[in-house]
Amino acid sequence: MAKLIWLCLNFVILCSTVGAVFEDQVGKFDWRQQYVGKVLFSNFDAQSQSSKKVIVATENNVFASLNIRTGELFWRHVDAIGPEGNIDALLHHGQDALLVVGDGRLLRSWEINIGGLNWEIVLDSGSFQSACLIGQQDIVKHVAVETVDYQSVYSGGNGEVYVLGIVPHSHIAIVVYSLDDGEIIRQFSVEAPWLSNIQASCAVIGEGMLTCADSATVSLYMLDLESQTEMSQIPLQSLGLEVTPDFQPVLRSTQPNAARPPLSEFFLQVGPEQHLLLQLNDGQIVTLRDFNPALLVSFATTGEKTIAAVMSPKNTTACSINLFSAETGRRLLDTTLIFPLDPNGGKPEELYVQAFLKKDDSVGYRVMVQTEDHTLTFIQQPGRVMWTREEALSDVVTMEMVDLPLTGTQAELEGEFGKKADGLFSMVLKRLSSQLILLQAWISHLWKLFYDARKPRSQVKNEVTIENLSRDEFNLQKMMVMVTASGKLFGIDSKTGTIVWRHYLDNIPANAAFKLMVQRTTAHFPHPPQCTLLIKDKDTGLATLHVFNPIFGKKSHVTPPAMPQPILQSLMLPVMDQDYAKVLLLVDDQYKVSAFPSTKNVLQQLQEIASTIFFYLVDSSQGRLSGYRLRTDLSTELIWEVVVPTEVQKIVSVKGKRPNEHVHSQGRVMGDRSVLYKYLNPNLLAVVTESTDTHPERSFMGILLIDGVTGRIIHEAVQRKAKGPVHIVHSENWVVYEYWSTKSRRNEFSVIELYEGMELYNSTVLQQSYIFPSSISTMEATLTEKGITSRHLLIGLPSGGILSLPKMFLDPRRPEIVTEQSREENLIPYAPELLIRSEWFINYNQTVTRVRGIYTAPSGLESTCLVVAYGLDIYQTRVYPSKQFDVLKDDYDYMLISSVLLALFFATMISKRLAEVKLLNRAWR
Amino acid sequence: MLHRDRIPLLWGFLQAVLVVALGFADMETGPGGAGVSVQQPNGDRFKIEGRAVVPGVKTQDWVSSARIFVEGEEFVGFVRTDGSFAVNDVPSGSYVVEVITPNYRFEPVRVDITSKGKMRARLVNYIKTSEVIRQPYPLQIRANGPQTYFMKRETWGWTDFLMNPMVMMMVLPLLIIVLLPKVVNTNDPEMRKEMEQSMNMLNPNPELPDVSELMTKLFSGGSKPSSKAVTSKGTRPAVKRR
């Protein structure tokens, strides 16, 4: 056994060069973008005027610090997924930031300069309600976290902490604690039968004045927490104010310093676009200013000055932001800032203001605006956009890579061949003119090269725009079309990572499922390329289609069909209509099929080939897998059905093969020169089931290989004492899956390979399992143009590494005893444990946090496969599973080869001369 | 009525309401410093503690990118500025604890927690899962060096060129051909005799035909003299012809 392992190690060392990165290749053809997610809380670091940090806490349980000059991350902390990592509150004071995490379970203090943890404590479990900082005599010392039944905590900096609780529609209970010893000073309750939620409708203003807004009576209720026990009602009409019907008024107060009471000025929102700046003056409410229309309002404090920033719509393409003095409501001069509205983006949602004092003691400010599509825009006066962050990209759901179009001149050439011949003479003319255009393009390219060479390197801009995007020689540069959960679509240039276009779909249901399909590629000039996004509401099953151009992001003129019925399945046929768009079939819950596009031509083609169109439906709640055939009248016919008993096991995933996969090696040559033919059924489905019993001794997982056309079960395997999550890759003639072994508490890989045998129709199934020393997040196989290159498995690990594991290690024919034949076949001796070598990480230290998916696409080079890994971050690179066999390597030593050639040339010259001299001398002798 | 019912409830909640008072001013002393009563987590949830060290590197240079993973991403902890860490709310069981940093390599450790909260740490062995090689608890995890992600480029040097076996095979015979005649005086008849003798020793059976000679005879029809003769005689006339 030891010998075997030693042999294996030897082999590992031998083939260790496969799939590794060289240090000088860093950043050459790969890039990473880091995201944080939708911002929930944000605070500007106001320690000093020169500070350039903003700390953010997001919906994705991420806590990060951004550089306000560039928008890049200083540091980022990613907590566990799910409710345990949810960030409930962010409190910030000086050097420290306090986070309440996991529904009030944990309290963490972070040092915000280096991003280190100061301390962490566990709180009583409960449900988080509110938190606040408590200060005394101008020093912020304590923090109060409220986790039980009470809804609000307040402290005015006088040594007392007020805890407010509510019995809905009855009364407010108030308990006052002493800060010094935690003793209860007093407690009382106040009748408030109209109130249901303190946090939503109340705020503390000025010296302990609890103010609540009620929409039913259209009035404000006020209570002095220190002295009163009755709420006084102030109808808004008495202040001369009107509230939009059915609008819950919102109060917004500010407490610049935790050691002092809140300011007596506050905002009252009385309509969707109307805000009022009010002041509490000796128990009287005075209206300082009425902002109508105003989209967003925010308070900011610098030094002793507090200002109010108000965003109001200017025109359809921009909003303006103005500053007002909070004390007087007067507008500050020269503080207008223009916020450009992106026509392809969402509406502004939140306004974060960083105010600072200029040298002349006037107030300057910068704003960070968050829009509905999770974009953060940072703007400086008078409207210069410093940076934008597309945080929607932290949640990519699905993506496709589309070939870039040919340039105008290339397309012109292509068009020449596409058109019908119209006479010899005109053809010659056309040929000449296109050659002239090519010449012109070449000269202008040369001129540009020359022009750029004279400029210093830093000034040469390589801006990527839609205009200069064109396909490169080896089709290595592509357009990445990414669909995010928020409903924003992106077009990203794969070479540089630049976002070329963005488009926000604003009526996406909250739990939508997306499927992106390329209906027409860029190969059919002059028809524009066309992508179709199927958006399906998971609850109702109702779906809509969004048809767009993947290169420009524009919505297509083609009107998608209306789909009144829930959609069960969608499938892309290889059939094209007369405009070269592939046909999309949609199956509704009545098992009726509709086609898109549904022209006469398409319907006719469908009728002809209907008998050869099969599809399958999966109903995991019923445990049913059924196969259907299309009839000529576009109805369907059930031809097979496999039922998995739901009380024992449930179907967790069904994986077919990728439709764009080619296999150009039909068999494997054995040691004795015979050929083992692969079983290459393109309709094979791999069905994974898990047991409903989760007890570690009894749980199991099963795998079924089913022919999708006939319903024949080709193979069935059961893994005992195993449970999910199961990750599976199905390609060529093999299925690789990974599961958790409950018996030995480890992750295991298993591979199934299907062979026809030495001659056809003699099916053989081989299977082998291995131990993998890490859990995995996602898995995908490399894909190349022709399928000649050997395959690698790309495994996304929770640590953020993307491991490129040669398929050769997952080969069920790995022998336990090495023989002459197996050595000849280059089979690695079997070893139970698969090793993770750090050289196999294709993304070196550029980890992809929470990797959720890996997308592979072939390039124009057979050796090269394009890889995009997405999760919280996005990483793009290329892999060469069999090394670069079809191009010169990028470290090819041109210097050496040319110097050797030159040296040889001179050596021949010299030796020729010497030989001549020698001959001459001999002749003289 | 409702109001009166509420009062005992309120009293009950008073103990539960946690107003945690923590010193911002005395940060170094940690949570215990300000006289806080941190209640133990409820019965069956435990805390894994330890310390991670990267030898020769200041903690603030790596802690901001470090995380502690317990059993994949199931439980996540963070590293404090002094390198210590704690992962809270872990139920009893057996877990693999890893320190995840992009730049340094740490060995994982398996931590077993009994239902009573007893902890032990041992080496991870995926093949013999029941083998116990004890590790200290609270965990002491040292980095065993930076991650090596990159392959070395094959650089070209003169020594590589000279030590190449092909080059050696070419250079050594050349040296013998050039140097041997100079060292050994071939004109000396005694020496020549000695050499012939040694050649005969090497070729024990002179009657056995040489394979190369046989082949040349076969292909050239036996008309030409042996190849050796051609090469030794043929060079000179060629030069003269030029």
Side-chain angles (χ1 to χ4, degrees), chain A residues 20-21 24 78 105 114 117 119-121 124 141 143 145 150 184 189 740 744 746 838 845 891 922, chain B residues 3 10 14 18 20 22 24 27 31 39 60 64 67 71 81 88-89 103 126 129 148 150-151 153 239:
Chain A
V21 186
D24 52 89
V78 183
R105 182 75 181 136
I114 61 164
L117 184 67
W119 45 259
E120 172 186 272
I121 54 165
D124 263 5
K141 270 192 88 167
V143 56
V145 180
Y150 293 80
I184 296 166
S189 66
W740 172 257
S744 353
R746 64 192 179 200
S838 55
N845 65 359
D891 66 333
R922 190 173 289 160
Chain B
H3 185 108
L10 273 179
L14 285 182
L18 190 71
V20 183
L22 284 172
F24 265 95
M27 201 55 67
Q39 294 188 6
Q60 59 254 47
S64 66
R67 286 200 284 171
E71 209 62 50
T81 37
N88 291 297
D89 281 353
N103 295 324
Y126 285 111
T129 45
T148 47
F150 301 111
M151 297 299 300
R153 278 267 189 222
V239 174

Side-chain angles (χ1 to χ4, degrees), chain A residues 8-19:
Chain A
C8 178
L9 271 178
N10 259 337
F11 201 89
V12 166
I13 290 158
L14 274 178
C15 57
S16 62
T17 47
V18 177

